[in-house]
């Protein structure tokens, strides 16, 4: 099939290129509107108890926890000055009640916590219309420019403004990353290919993939919420994966030209070999990314939508548009060469990758034990990971939300508005004497729970009531999460149902949803990946080896991330403030991405080894010649992929820094430690058993296997045959 596809593309290359150009224009025009259709947030489970509590609070009365915190400060006036009071109170009173559903300022609450120690500053807590992050941000956009008070310094912070500012910062950082990545990648591709013409082709695929993914996301956004964070994944992954696949296709085509094949023969052989590898690799990556749709969070679902779209389109354009361009260019793919003289191919057994492979396979046990020891040592910090939600510390110090956080920490005493709220639906009128007594008894019980600092009724309306529990410590932390679980064990008033809400309850529900769904995601990815790799390699053991090595690589990566971002090592070098925890959605997203991309390189390497095994019939020689033929390309692809990811790591937003650093670490570990060192040693230990499959499964592979070549493989040139090592 693939060989026939290559010949078809060669015959129809010009119409295909015209269609590709039209697609790029149309998707670019339509896709650019996706930024207006995407939503912020998406970190909450829409079916959780805390979400139900938020809906009850929105309907009955403003939420206790503020959506926005506005700091007002004067250098020469204190909050005791009547003009200071009048200016702030008048401003808050002028805000539309349809947007700002509640407010709390010092002259209303009389709480000393709302005044700075020097009494020159105060903060106002605002509740915004909406029951989720998306609608609240829309409300915030309506009033954010109406909050400033003339003569006073005004700073906007709190959960919703911080999220809004993070989205704007990420958008700016994405533009910077793209502007940096494309020229750097082009220069590196010129070095890899030694020519300008060939170097431009992988970037063509990357650009098409990004434009197409934007259009796909905009279509999806018409039917469901798509997080604004998805564009960061589309930009980075679309470019990185497309360059990987483009590098593989172009390299194989040039290799076929060097062997003397021309025209349709060269292209059909390229599509039948490298094209099949790209398809297997792309499906494997997409399968892993699709696993994020198992979770109820819009953030992870959006990452899955964007990631799958970017990978699938990268495969499509690598398989259709790129071969069409190669067919049109022919030998001119080597045009504009910057190398004066082509280096001669290494003689039999003299290639550096070949020698490295045999060196590793001479001591496979020692290499395996040492490598495994290093990976496990790196993974050790992962055992003590602490989860926590993003707050203003994810922003750079120049952001208003971060400045509000810093001022609150530095200039104010305590937190007068932090609480865990119990929203109750009662059997009768909340204002009746009987219900009032039951509510007060319930509040007294909550206030006596270890860790609580008292509880009080803070709202009654119809058959709905709210009891707020005070506590010390960080709202999003393990002790606070444990307190929520203890409070949930307290019996509600007779006939009533209690739903716990607030920042701490949302955090607890998030961890519960992740823990409940994660095993199913892992099972799905393991089964789907195993089936795909069996069809690619025809072995029952190699897929298990690949999955096991991926888990080792992932564990080591997560251990390093805990050491850096949770413990704070390298904080000065990477310009971030450690929070002492990791946002729980990030490991899930990184798992899906890293697992998929690790399989990307596994497919690249083992597919070439399988091709050599079919030619030579000897496992040791197959590993050595396979690594010799693909080793340089894998390293080049990995380094090229690290460019946009490293650019993302320079973001001023902590989550993006963690994402970029984590991906770079994972790719470098996977390629240089797992694929190059561990794979040859383990495959030497496995020997011929590595390629074994029982009779019935061998027949399945013979009939349905996704093989590198069609029919009987071509006999290699003399200098490609390598004698079996002793």
């Amino acid at each position: 099939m693939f060989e026939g596809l290559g010949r078809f593309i060669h015959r129809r290359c010009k119409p295909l290129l015209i269609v590709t150009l039209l697609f790029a224009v149309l998707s670019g025009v339509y896709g650019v509107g996706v930024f207006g259709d995407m939503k912020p947030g998406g970190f909450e489970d829409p079916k959780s108890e805390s979400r139900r509590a938020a809906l009850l609070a929105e309907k009955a009365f403003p939420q206790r926890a503020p959506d926005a915190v506005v700091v007002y400060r004067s250098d020469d006036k204190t909050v005791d000055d009547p003009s200071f009071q009048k200016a702030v109170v008048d401003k808050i009173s002028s805000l539309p009640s349809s947007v700002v559903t509640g407010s709390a300022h010092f002259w209303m609450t009389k709480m000393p916590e709302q005044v700075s120690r020097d009494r020159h500053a105060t903060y106002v807590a605002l509740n915004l219309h909406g029951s989720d992050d998306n609608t609240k941000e829309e409300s915030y956009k309506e009033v954010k420019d109406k909050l400033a008070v003339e003569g006073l310094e005004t700073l906007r912070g709190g959960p919703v403004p911080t999220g809004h500012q993070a989205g704007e910062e990420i958008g700016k950082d994405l533009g910077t990353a793209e502007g940096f990545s494309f020229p750097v990648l082009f220069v590196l591709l010129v070095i890899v290919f030694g020519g300008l013409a060939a170097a431009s082709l992988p970037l063509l695929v990357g650009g098409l993939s990004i434009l197409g993914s934007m259009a796909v996301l905009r279509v999806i956004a018409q039917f469901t919420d798509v997080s604004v964070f998805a564009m960061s994944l589309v930009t980075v992954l679309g470019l990185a994966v497309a360059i990987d696949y483009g590098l593989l296709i172009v390299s194989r085509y040039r290799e076929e030209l060097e062997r003397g094949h021309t025209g349709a023969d060269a292209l059909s052989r390229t599509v039948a070999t490298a094209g099949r590898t790209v398809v297997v690799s792309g499906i494997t990556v997409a399968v892993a990314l699709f696993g994020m749709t198992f979770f109820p969070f819009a953030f992870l679902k959006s990452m899955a939508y964007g990631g799958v779209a970017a990978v699938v389109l990268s495969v499509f354009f690598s398989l259709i548009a790129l071969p069409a361009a190669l067919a049109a260019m022919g030998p001119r793919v080597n045009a504009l060469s910057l190398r004066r003289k082509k280096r001669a191919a290494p003689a039999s057994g003299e290639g550096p990758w070949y020698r490295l492979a045999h060196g590793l396979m001479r001591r496979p046990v020692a290499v395996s034990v040492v490598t495994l020891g290093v990976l496990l040592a790196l993974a050790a910090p992962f055992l003590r990971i602490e989860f926590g939600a993003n707050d203003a510390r994810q922003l750079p110090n120049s952001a208003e939300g971060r400045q509000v956080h810093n001022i609150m920490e530095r200039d104010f005493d305590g937190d007068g508005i932090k609480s865990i709220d119990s929203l109750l639906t009662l059997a009768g009128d909340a204002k009746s004497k009987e219900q009032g007594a039951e509510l007060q008894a319930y509040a007294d019980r909550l206030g006596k729970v270890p860790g609580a600092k008292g509880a009080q009724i803070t709202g009654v309306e119809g058959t709905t009531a709210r009891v707020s529990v005070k506590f010390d410590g960080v709202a999003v932390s393990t002790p606070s999460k444990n307190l929520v679980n203890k409070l949930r064990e307290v019996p509600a008033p007779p006939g009533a149902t209690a739903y716990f809400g607030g920042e701490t309850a949302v955090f607890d529900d998030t961890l519960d949803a992740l823990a409940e769904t994660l095993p199913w995601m892992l099972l799905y990815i393991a089964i789907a990946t195993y089936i795909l790799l069996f069809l690619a390699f025809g072995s029952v053991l190699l897929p298990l080896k690949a999955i096991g090595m991926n888990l080792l690589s992932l564990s080591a990566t997560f251990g390093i991330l805990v050491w850096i971002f949770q413990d704070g090592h390298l904080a000065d070098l990477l310009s971030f403030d450690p929070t002492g925890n990791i946002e729980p959605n990030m490991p899930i997203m990184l798992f899906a991405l890293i697992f998929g991309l690790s399989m990307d390189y596994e497919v690249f390497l083992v597919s070439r080894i399988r091709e050599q095994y079919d030619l030579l019939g000897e496992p040791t020689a197959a590993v050595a010649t396979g690594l010799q033929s693909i080793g340089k390309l894998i390293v080049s692809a990995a380094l090229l992929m690290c460019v946009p990811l490293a650019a993302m790591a320079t973001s001023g937003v902590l989550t993006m820094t963690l994402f970029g650093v984590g991906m770079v670490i994972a790719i470098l570990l996977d390629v240089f430690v797992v694929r190059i060192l561990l794979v040859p040693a383990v495959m030497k230990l496995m020997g011929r058993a590595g390629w074994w499959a029982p009779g019935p499964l061998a027949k399945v592979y013979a009939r349905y296997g996704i093989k590198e070549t069609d029919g009987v493989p071509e006999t290699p040139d003399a200098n490609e045959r390598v004698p079996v090592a002793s």
Side-chain angles (χ1 to χ4, degrees):
M1 183 186 81
F2 283 86
E3 186 174 358
L5 176 63
R7 294 187 181 278
F8 171 80
I9 293 173
H10 189 270
R11 291 195 303 270
R12 299 287 187 268
C13 63
K14 291 183 179 179
L16 288 173
L17 288 174
I18 292 173
V19 171
T20 299
L21 178 61
L22 289 174
F23 175 88
V25 173
L26 294 176
S27 61
V29 172
Y30 177 75
V32 72
V34 71
F35 294 98
D37 293 335
M38 292 190 296
K39 307 295 183 182
F43 298 97
E44 298 181 15
D45 179 0
K47 297 181 180 180
S48 66
E49 178 182 324
S50 55
R51 178 63 184 277
R52 179 67 184 274
L55 292 173
L56 286 173
E58 173 68 18
K59 185 176 180 179
F61 27 70
Q63 290 175 287
R64 173 71 174 171
D67 299 312
V69 175
V70 187
V71 172
Y72 294 102
R73 184 174 187 85
S74 172
D75 291 334
D76 55 350
K77 298 178 182 178
T78 69
V79 296
D80 305 305
D81 191 309
S83 63
F84 192 124
Q85 174 182 348
K86 184 176 187 305
V88 173
V89 173
D90 288 351
K91 172 58 67 175
I92 301 304
S93 300
S94 69
L95 299 175
S97 59
S98 60
V99 178
V100 178
T101 57
S103 61
H105 52 72
F106 164 67
W107 300 278
M108 173 196 305
T109 66
K110 305 301 181 182
M111 291 193 306
E113 294 93 342
Q114 284 190 262
V115 178
S116 63
R117 297 186 190 94
D118 64 3
R119 304 192 69 78
H120 282 270
T122 185
Y123 68 83
V124 178
L126 302 178
N127 291 116
L128 302 171
H129 171 72
S131 59
D132 56 33
D133 292 338
N134 298 331
T135 52
K136 287 180 179 180
E137 177 155 0
E138 292 302 318
S139 297
Y140 172 67
K141 289 179 182 177
E142 291 187 42
V143 297
K144 70 183 184 72
D145 295 328
K146 301 176 182 179
L147 297 172
V149 172
E150 186 176 356
L152 298 178
E153 180 185 8
T154 305
L155 294 173
R156 299 159 296 186
V160 176
T162 296
H164 176 71
Q165 292 160 22
E168 291 184 330
E169 183 72 23
I170 289 171
K172 182 180 70 175
D173 293 340
L174 280 177
T176 303
E178 290 176 9
F180 169 81
S181 297
F182 270 92
V184 172
L185 285 171
F186 181 71
V187 171
L188 293 176
L189 284 168
V190 169
I191 295 173
V192 171
F193 285 123
L196 300 177
S200 64
L201 295 176
L203 289 177
L204 168 68
V205 177
L208 289 170
S209 300
I210 292 173
L211 291 175
S213 299
M214 291 169 61
V216 170
L217 280 181
R218 188 176 185 188
V219 171
I220 295 174
Q222 309 310 310
F223 302 96
T224 187
D225 288 345
V226 175
S227 171
V228 67
F229 292 94
M231 271 310 302
S232 62
L233 185 62
V234 163
T235 301
V236 173
L237 191 64
L239 186 59
V241 173
I243 286 178
D244 265 14
Y245 298 159
L247 188 63
L248 186 66
I249 295 286
V250 174
S251 296
R252 188 62 185 240
Y253 183 72
R254 297 175 81 192
E255 183 180 329
E256 296 298 334
L257 291 179
E258 292 172 6
R259 289 177 175 176
H261 300 290
T262 58
D265 288 340
L267 193 67
S268 64
R269 293 179 62 80
T270 297
V271 175
T273 54
R276 286 189 173 192
T277 300
V278 165
V279 169
V280 174
S281 174
I283 294 175
T284 307
V285 177
V287 161
L289 293 173
F290 186 77
M292 288 189 286
T293 63
F294 284 41
F295 295 92
F297 310 108
F299 169 78
L300 290 178
K301 289 181 181 291
S302 299
M303 289 298 182
Y305 303 148
V308 171
V311 171
V312 170
L313 287 172
S314 294
V315 171
F316 177 78
F317 289 120
S318 297
L319 204 62
I320 303 297
L322 181 54
L326 291 172
M329 297 173 71
R332 291 192 299 275
V333 71
N334 294 317
L336 304 176
S337 176
L338 302 181
R339 293 176 181 169
R340 295 184 178 181
K341 184 179 180 180
K342 186 180 181 301
R343 295 179 180 177
S348 174
E350 292 183 1
W353 295 103
Y354 173 85
R355 293 194 297 271
L356 174 63
H358 272 297
L360 295 169
M361 289 188 288
R362 277 194 292 269
R363 298 175 179 81
V365 174
V367 171
S368 299
V369 170
V370 171
T371 305
L372 288 172
V374 170
L375 291 173
L376 291 174
L378 292 174
F382 183 46
L383 297 174
R384 51 181 176 79
I385 188 171
E386 286 286 338
F387 293 113
N390 291 324
D391 57 26
R393 288 174 294 176
Q394 70 172 313
L395 293 173
N397 285 314
S398 58
E400 276 190 65
R402 179 61 185 275
Q403 293 177 36
V404 168
H405 176 273
N406 292 343
I407 289 174
M408 296 285 287
E409 290 285 318
R410 183 186 67 234
D411 298 340
F412 289 80
D413 290 320
D415 189 341
I417 51 180
K418 178 184 68 181
S419 65
I420 297 171
D421 297 333
S422 176
L423 276 296
L424 300 108
T425 55
L426 305 171
D429 185 356
K431 296 181 180 179
S432 68
K433 183 177 181 181
E434 180 182 357
Q435 289 293 336
E438 293 287 354
L439 276 175
Q440 187 58 54
Y442 175 65
D444 292 341
R445 292 196 297 272
L446 291 178
K448 294 177 181 178
V449 171
K453 298 299 181 183
Q456 59 181 341
I457 302 169
T458 55
V460 289
E461 184 67 35
T463 58
T464 304
R466 179 179 62 198
V467 177
S468 298
V469 181
K470 290 287 188 179
F471 64 100
D472 292 332
V474 179
V476 179
S477 63
T478 299
S480 300
K481 177 181 74 70
N482 294 337
L483 174 59
V484 168
N485 290 322
K486 292 177 184 177
L487 294 172
R488 284 172 169 158
E489 295 174 358
V490 175
T497 303
Y499 302 94
F500 280 84
E503 191 177 6
T504 308
V506 169
F507 174 61
D508 183 54
D509 288 343
T510 297
L511 292 183
D512 287 345
L514 289 173
E516 180 181 343
T517 309
L518 182 60
W520 296 106
M521 174 196 175
L522 296 178
L523 181 63
Y524 151 76
I525 290 178
I527 293 175
T529 300
Y530 186 91
I531 293 172
L532 284 168
L533 294 185
F534 170 76
L535 293 176
F537 304 144
S539 164
V540 296
L541 296 180
L542 285 180
L544 292 176
K545 179 222 42 150
I547 292 171
M549 288 185 176
N550 272 20
L551 294 178
L552 277 172
S553 179
L554 277 160
S555 299
T557 299
F558 288 153
I560 295 173
L561 290 180
V562 167
W563 184 78
I564 294 175
F565 290 95
Q566 180 175 304
D567 298 347
H569 298 99
L570 307 182
D572 292 337
L573 178 64
L574 295 173
S575 300
F576 73 90
D577 292 331
T579 60
N581 54 55
I582 304 290
E583 202 283 323
N585 284 283
M586 290 303 293
I588 302 297
M589 183 180 71
L590 286 172
F591 176 90
L593 278 167
I594 295 169
F595 191 94
L597 292 177
S598 296
M599 284 300 178
D600 202 28
Y601 296 117
E602 175 77 4
V603 171
F604 281 17
L605 176 58
V606 181
S607 291
R608 203 61 181 255
I609 294 174
R610 175 81 220 197
E611 182 180 349
Q612 294 299 312
Y613 183 71
D614 290 339
L615 289 170
L616 304 173
E618 206 288 323
T620 302
V623 172
T625 54
L627 187 60
Q628 174 62 38
S629 63
I630 201 73
K632 179 181 177 182
L633 188 144
I634 289 178
V635 170
S636 298
L639 294 177
L640 288 167
M641 182 178 281
C642 286
V643 170
L645 294 170
M648 183 59 64
T650 64
S651 171
V653 179
L654 179 58
T655 51
M656 292 297 101
T657 302
L658 187 150
F659 171 78
V661 171
M663 292 298 295
V664 168
I665 290 172
I667 289 170
L668 296 180
L669 268 179
D670 188 78
V671 170
F672 288 99
V673 177
V674 175
R675 305 306 153 192
I676 291 178
L677 297 181
L678 194 55
V679 167
V682 172
M683 293 193 74
K684 172 64 176 179
L685 293 173
M686 295 171 70
R688 292 185 184 276
W691 303 105
W692 173 80
L697 290 180
K699 292 179 181 179
V700 171
Y701 174 71
R703 184 170 182 179
Y704 302 107
I706 309 173
K707 304 172 186 176
E708 275 286 306
T709 55
D710 294 322
V712 179
E714 179 188 5
T715 301
D717 297 335
N719 66 345
E720 290 183 290
R721 277 197 176 273
V722 180
V724 177
S726 57

